[in-house]
Amino acid sequence: MTPCMGIGSDTISPGWVGAPTRRICIHCSSPVSERRISSFCCSGCETVFALLQARGLGEYYRIRDRDRGLRKVAPVELSPDSYTQLDDPKFVELYARRSGELLTLKLYLEGVHCAACVWLSEKIGDFVPSVQSARLNLGDSVVEVTIQPSGSFAAVAREYARLGYRPHPVRTEDLDALARRSDRMLLARTGVAGACAGNIMLLAVSLYAGADGPMAEVFRWVSFALSLPVLCFSATPFYRGAWIALRGRQISIDIPIALGIFLGALSSAYNLVAGSPYLYFDSLSSLVFLMLASRYLLRKTQQAATHASRLIHFLTPARVRVIDSQSGSFREIAVDEIHPGDEVEVRAGECIAVDGFVVSGRSSLDNALLTGESKPVTASEGMIVFAGTVNQMGPLRIRATAAGGATRLGRTLRAVQEDLSKKAPIVTFADRIARYFVAAVLVAVAIVFGVGLRSGLDHAVNLALALSIVTCPCAFALATPLALSISMGRCARQGVLIKGVDVIERLSQARSVLFDKTGTLTRGKYEVTGWDPALGLDKDLKLASELAALESCSQHPVAKAIVQRFEPPASERLPTVQEFSEELGWGVLGQVQGHRYEISSRGAQGPLHAASSAVAVWRDGVRLGRIYFGDCLREDSSDVMARLRDLGLSVGIISGDSADAVARVAANLGLSPQEWRAELSPEDKREEAARTPRTVMVGDGANDAGALAAAHVGIAVQGGMEVSLLSADIYVRSPGVGAVGPLVVIARETLKVIRRNFVFSLVYNALGIAGVVAGLVTPLFAAILMPISALTVFLSSLAGTARLRRALGEITR
Amino acid sequence: MNIIYLLLPLALLLGLGFAVAFLRMVAQGQYDELETPAHRMLLDDEIVPNTVPRKTMR
């Protein structure tokens, strides 16, 4: 059982805990509660299983089991959405692509991750006959569905939702096409460089082995010809990079590279015509190939992460039901089309999409994501509500005062975007080193040239050329991209998406970590944390099931928490409830098994035993005791705090919740009163994160978005709102903060690997310079030194450090 | 060793052929996405109807 905060073992009994279960869900392999009789963890999984069996698609499980060990399947959550908006002609025009008669739509599917998902999602044609083809891109989780004009995208979306992959339409973008084109170009350049380098090396080997006469002459000319595509086509990104840097009066790693390539090619061409054997075509082209390949690798890893998080941005706008003032009928429109003054209906379980006030209806609202408040709020007529809160109970009618960008949520989003655009890129370690490097090379060339002049101009030029070729920073250029892409790629495979190339370096500089409370350190759910011993709910299962029966008639968060905790095994039926009545903000009343029960706030005052609220249980007019509620800490929260302190970071909590609630959590995590702040508005949070130097912000809610963007590094955790995912630099796809500790270690160790790589490449460069001075530099010397230095850097990056490997192993979904 | 003068152009031609093939594959987008095909090759072409998953057979 998970540890709940604030249970004093002597005052409150530990609660009814089912024995650890060994059964796992057939569909999703998560543990099945003892209380369920079926072999599934939830009805969603059961439905999907039945569906697959009925359609003869049980093969899914065979494929999945063969592909085991990848990632876990999430339990299926059934969504009530009918997706009718997907068939709206306006929507189709905007989102779908038309080719001839056929229509193609891209859908982002939540929860696809393995071969079985590929197989199943492409089998959608078995469910919806009008589907022509479906093709899944597992990296992006995007499926491209092509249907006949008579077909319906809504039907397709509904089937995906029934299979447990919640679909979201994705807009096809020009940006993607552009990125794809430059990806292909880079790959083409790399391929050409590789092909030419390989062939040149074959020729070079025979030249080094002592080929002579007319055949050697042919070989030299052929290797020159083969190097032309490399120099004129493949290497152009380096020329462009160097040119841009020069024009901006900056120094980048591209400058020495371009210089080395240029001088090497020039002198080799001169020597070719002059009949001298000093040709560097082999070294130059393999160098270009290696550097391009490492850049391609880094680019691909980074793209995978940014793409996954950017997709969320393009999800369709929410739909809302507007009530027509004249006819009183409902009309579903996009949230952008709402005007202030419109009246909308929000059903239970839906997210409110506008700012406004309640016209009719009573309900309880969950503010956790918007403000960080963990306690549900009762909404009644006249109350002001904000977009982003979740309606938990009955339907509400709300008169909109603001919609879209004018809402509180919309303003937050805009502030975040401003912050993000202001966030200046840091001067990376590689940039700084490159400056010194370029200066050092230029000085060395000048000295060697000067010294060489004593034995003639020819000799001096040759020496200077040899030096600039040998010091061409191939290993140097590989040092950062290789180490970064390996760390980022491994993190991504574990569900941690790192969005930028400088994020790892920034994270390694972190001095403190600020956490959001609700939903990040805690589970963000209202749960039963304990009860008075007099109630004896852990032993008196009859009482427990009677209370669960009474509360199962209500939708209130308190009632849901009680039902979740005390629901008897599915084999037992809940007793029937008679004369049920509910008063919102007060409690419930009803007759169960001949007893008159009341669970209410009457007589619920008193010390809370570290819970956040309590209700009293009355039977036949006798007060039996109280049940306590609160937001439970996540299992890993306190470990993470200890870990971060061990790493020398200071930790803190900044929360929008009440001081009481935050103080309790802080005390449980062993934080001193100086280390937490409560009742902060989103703006306060942002300020706090911006004010603290080199801080990491970890959060999930909309109220954290500003802080995530303003902090040195923002980490968003699973379950958060889209805004926070967008503004964060790192997105952790698993709930909880367990990944934060290992992430810091990974960042520091990756930087260590990068530094080690630099040391290696500098050592090889020093060797090269020594070789030049000693007069040892021949093309053979360069041809051996360069690949060896690149290989060393490659192996060093691949090996990482022991701590890095351990930390990467610790991040698991 | 005069055979080299024949073999060298032949080898280069062969290499050119592969390079052109590679460039065409890149242009067609065969390298755009490298993750799904790795999984897709695990899938069989034929489907045995109503296969019972292993776990239920216990």
Side-chain angles (χ1 to χ4, degrees):
Chain A
M1 187 65 199
T2 54
C4 267
M5 61 176 216
I7 296 187
S9 52
D10 45 358
T11 52
I12 302 172
S13 53
W16 182 44
V17 179
T21 166
R22 286 208 196 85
R23 291 190 306 157
I24 55 168
C25 178
I26 294 180
H27 179 70
C28 74
S29 305
S30 50
V32 179
S33 154
E34 258 224 333
R35 286 168 239 165
R36 294 192 64 89
I37 33 170
S38 76
S39 326
F40 299 92
C41 68
C42 58
S43 56
C45 290
E46 196 163 353
T47 313
V48 173
F49 181 82
L51 204 65
L52 293 182
Q53 294 299 330
R55 309 274 173 136
L57 296 175
E59 172 90 352
Y60 170 82
Y61 296 98
R62 209 169 61 73
I63 298 171
R64 189 197 60 189
D65 290 347
R66 190 170 48 195
D67 201 18
R68 190 197 294 279
L70 277 171
R71 290 160 217 172
K72 260 176 64 183
V73 188
V76 177
E77 266 179 52
L78 291 182
S79 134
D81 202 333
S82 61
Y83 297 99
T84 44
Q85 73 270 24
L86 301 198
D87 285 336
D88 188 25
K90 251 202 276 179
F91 173 88
V92 170
E93 195 184 314
L94 204 59
Y95 281 79
R97 205 177 59 232
R98 201 178 282 274
S99 54
E101 282 282 271
L102 302 173
L103 287 169
T104 303
L105 180 69
K106 283 186 180 175
L107 291 167
Y108 172 79
L109 298 184
E110 278 182 38
V112 287
H113 51 73
C114 65
C117 297
V118 176
W119 181 79
L120 185 56
S121 62
E122 293 181 355
K123 278 273 173 290
I124 194 76
D126 289 15
F127 297 89
V128 188
S130 60
V131 170
Q132 279 277 305
S133 73
R135 202 138 173 100
L136 180 79
N137 179 333
L138 201 53
D140 298 345
S141 312
V142 169
V143 67
E144 257 194 77
V145 186
T146 305
I147 61 168
Q148 285 157 356
S150 57
S152 144
F153 284 125
V156 174
R158 274 196 299 273
E159 285 303 326
Y160 275 128
R162 276 178 69 192
L163 292 172
Y165 308 119
R166 190 178 290 186
H168 304 276
V170 180
R171 206 178 305 204
T172 335
E173 296 163 89
D174 303 338
L175 213 69
D176 272 350
L178 220 81
R180 197 178 313 130
R181 212 164 47 224
S182 68
D183 271 5
R184 288 181 185 173
M185 200 59 187
L186 185 56
L187 186 60
R189 288 185 207 279
T190 316
V192 168
C196 293
N199 282 298
I200 296 174
M201 246 184 279
L202 282 178
L203 300 171
V205 166
S206 47
L207 284 174
Y208 294 141
D212 58 358
M215 199 185 287
E217 198 58 23
V218 169
F219 280 8
R220 285 194 196 106
W221 279 96
V222 171
S223 54
F224 167 69
L226 282 171
S227 74
L228 282 179
V230 180
L231 298 170
C232 304
F233 170 67
S234 297
T236 41
F238 302 110
Y239 307 151
R240 203 179 306 131
W243 175 242
I244 289 170
L246 279 178
R247 225 179 23 189
R249 294 182 191 285
Q250 279 169 335
I251 285 182
S252 86
I253 191 84
D254 282 342
I255 294 178
I257 295 173
L259 193 74
I261 295 173
F262 184 70
L263 290 178
L266 213 64
S267 69
S268 304
Y270 175 79
N271 289 339
L272 178 72
V273 177
S276 142
Y278 282 73
L279 305 183
Y280 294 97
F281 295 125
D282 53 337
S283 303
L284 287 176
S285 42
S286 48
L287 181 148
V288 169
F289 168 65
L290 286 175
M291 288 188 297
L292 285 175
S294 77
R295 283 189 186 192
Y296 184 74
L297 201 67
L298 179 65
R299 193 187 163 103
K300 275 289 174 190
T301 352
Q302 191 207 342
Q303 262 175 5
T306 40
H307 205 86
S309 53
R310 213 180 35 161
L311 273 176
I312 301 164
H313 197 25
F314 297 101
L315 303 184
T316 37
R319 310 280 295 180
V320 284
R321 266 181 307 285
V322 172
I323 300 152
D324 201 274
S325 48
Q326 273 114 47
S327 62
S329 61
F330 295 113
R331 199 159 43 95
E332 238 186 51
I333 61 171
V335 74
D336 318 337
E337 296 168 34
I338 291 212
H339 299 292
D342 283 349
E343 204 174 305
V344 298
E345 189 204 43
V346 184
R347 293 185 193 155
E350 287 182 341
C351 187
I352 299 176
V354 296
D355 282 2
F357 56 89
V358 180
V359 179
S360 67
R362 302 196 68 184
S363 180
S364 145
L365 298 179
D366 178 5
N367 275 333
L369 283 175
L370 192 64
T371 62
E373 283 169 74
S374 53
K375 249 197 228 180
V377 179
T378 306
S380 53
E381 271 166 48
M383 198 178 113
I384 293 173
V385 292
F386 295 103
T389 45
V390 180
N391 179 15
Q392 292 184 303
M393 288 177 68
L396 286 174
R397 286 196 180 194
I398 293 163
R399 174 142 355 248
T401 52
T407 59
R408 203 163 127 187
L409 187 63
R411 288 201 302 271
T412 315
L413 184 61
R414 212 167 34 234
V416 166
Q417 272 162 347
E418 261 168 42
D419 268 5
L420 284 178
S421 62
K422 273 190 279 184
K423 205 166 188 170
I426 58 165
V427 179
T428 59
F429 183 64
D431 294 340
R432 262 175 293 150
I433 292 260
R435 272 180 214 165
Y436 294 115
F437 184 86
V438 174
V441 167
L442 290 179
V443 169
V445 168
I447 293 175
V448 166
F449 185 76
V451 174
L453 265 184
R454 273 185 293 177
S455 28
L457 183 68
D458 252 18
H459 183 63
V461 168
N462 269 336
L463 271 184
L465 280 177
L467 189 68
S468 51
I469 294 162
V470 153
T471 53
C472 183
C474 171
F476 206 87
L478 297 179
T480 323
L482 275 181
L484 280 182
S485 58
I486 285 170
S487 287
M488 285 164 68
R490 290 199 182 146
C491 282
R493 238 168 291 150
Q494 302 301 331
V496 177
L497 304 175
I498 298 171
K499 291 197 219 158
V501 283
D502 61 346
V503 173
I504 286 203
E505 186 162 345
R506 274 191 278 146
L507 187 58
S508 73
Q509 301 164 342
R511 289 202 212 127
S512 62
V513 185
L514 293 173
F515 288 92
D516 163 54
K517 182 187 76 77
T518 318
T520 306
L521 289 173
T522 67
R523 281 189 244 163
K525 274 196 300 195
Y526 205 60
E527 289 170 302
V528 172
T529 58
W531 49 81
D532 286 338
L535 271 170
L537 282 166
D538 43 339
K539 292 173 216 86
D540 192 350
L541 297 186
K542 184 167 165 292
L543 176 65
S545 72
E546 284 167 11
L547 294 185
L550 179 63
E551 291 288 25
S552 66
C553 301
S554 165
Q555 289 295 308
H556 194 273
V558 165
K560 281 185 189 159
I562 287 181
V563 171
Q564 207 208 345
R565 187 61 176 269
F566 300 120
E567 197 179 20
S571 50
E572 285 173 39
R573 290 180 58 116
L574 279 175
T576 46
V577 180
Q578 283 152 348
E579 297 171 37
F580 175 82
S581 70
E582 178 171 20
E583 177 78 26
L584 204 70
W586 179 78
V588 292
L589 256 175
Q591 189 99 15
V592 191
Q593 307 263 312
H595 293 293
R596 191 161 178 73
Y597 280 103
E598 178 187 327
I599 306 175
S600 70
S601 53
R602 179 160 71 100
Q605 296 78 21
L608 283 173
H609 297 299
S612 72
S613 61
V615 294
V617 179
W618 298 73
R619 182 166 61 192
D620 300 325
V622 183
R623 183 175 175 277
L624 297 178
R626 297 186 299 164
I627 299 176
Y628 303 94
F629 300 89
D631 187 7
C632 280
L633 267 185
R634 288 188 192 274
E635 295 85 341
D636 47 8
S637 294
S638 60
D639 292 347
V640 169
M641 294 289 174
R643 176 85 184 267
L644 291 174
R645 286 210 171 106
D646 282 349
L647 290 170
L649 296 164
S650 60
V651 290
I653 298 178
I654 49 175
S655 174
D657 206 357
S658 68
D660 277 1
V662 183
R664 266 196 309 277
V665 168
N668 265 283
L669 294 172
L671 263 65
S672 68
Q674 295 86 47
E675 289 176 315
W676 58 266
R677 294 189 60 196
E679 288 166 29
L680 298 178
S681 70
E683 292 73 30
D684 293 341
K685 277 194 168 193
R686 180 169 141 227
E687 197 123 308
E688 185 75 25
R691 203 168 50 80
T692 325
R694 300 206 162 164
T695 191
V696 181
M697 173 73 203
V698 187
D700 70 331
N703 62 331
D704 302 319
L708 287 171
H712 201 53
V713 181
I715 302 179
V717 294
Q718 168 78 30
M721 282 188 82
E722 290 142 26
V723 194
S724 64
L725 304 188
L726 273 181
S727 54
D729 302 302
I730 300 175
Y731 168 35
V732 182
R733 266 180 161 167
S734 50
V737 290
V740 177
L743 262 175
V744 172
V745 180
I746 289 170
R748 290 184 181 174
E749 294 298 314
T750 306
L751 256 281
K752 238 181 244 173
V753 173
I754 292 178
R755 279 192 210 111
R756 188 173 71 193
N757 288 348
F758 278 133
V759 170
F760 278 133
S761 61
L762 288 178
V763 166
Y764 280 112
N765 264 316
L767 278 180
I769 294 176
V772 170
V773 173
L776 284 175
V777 171
T778 60
L780 183 58
F781 182 86
I784 291 170
L785 189 75
M786 281 191 194
I788 286 185
S789 65
L791 191 69
T792 315
V793 166
F794 179 70
L795 290 178
S796 151
S797 305
L798 207 60
T801 64
R803 262 187 241 161
L804 178 61
R805 285 194 300 272
R806 217 176 312 133
L808 282 167
E810 278 175 62
I811 303 187
T812 42
R813 4 179 97 234
Chain B
M1 286 301 270
N2 281 341
I3 191 70
I4 294 279
Y5 293 113
L6 176 67
L7 287 181
L8 183 64
L10 272 182
L12 287 178
L13 262 181
L14 196 66
L16 185 73
F18 281 116
V20 168
F22 171 76
L23 289 179
R24 284 197 58 181
M25 269 147 53
V26 171
Q28 283 172 6
Q30 294 195 30
Y31 291 95
D32 287 353
E33 207 245 316
L34 300 171
E35 199 182 339
T36 324
H39 291 286
R40 198 173 274 131
M41 74 169 199
L42 290 171
L43 309 178
D44 302 330
D45 292 336
E46 284 169 306
I47 304 147
V48 190
N50 262 327
T51 313
V52 183
R54 248 185 269 155
K55 275 184 204 151
T56 52
M57 297 204 285
R58 274 189 229 146

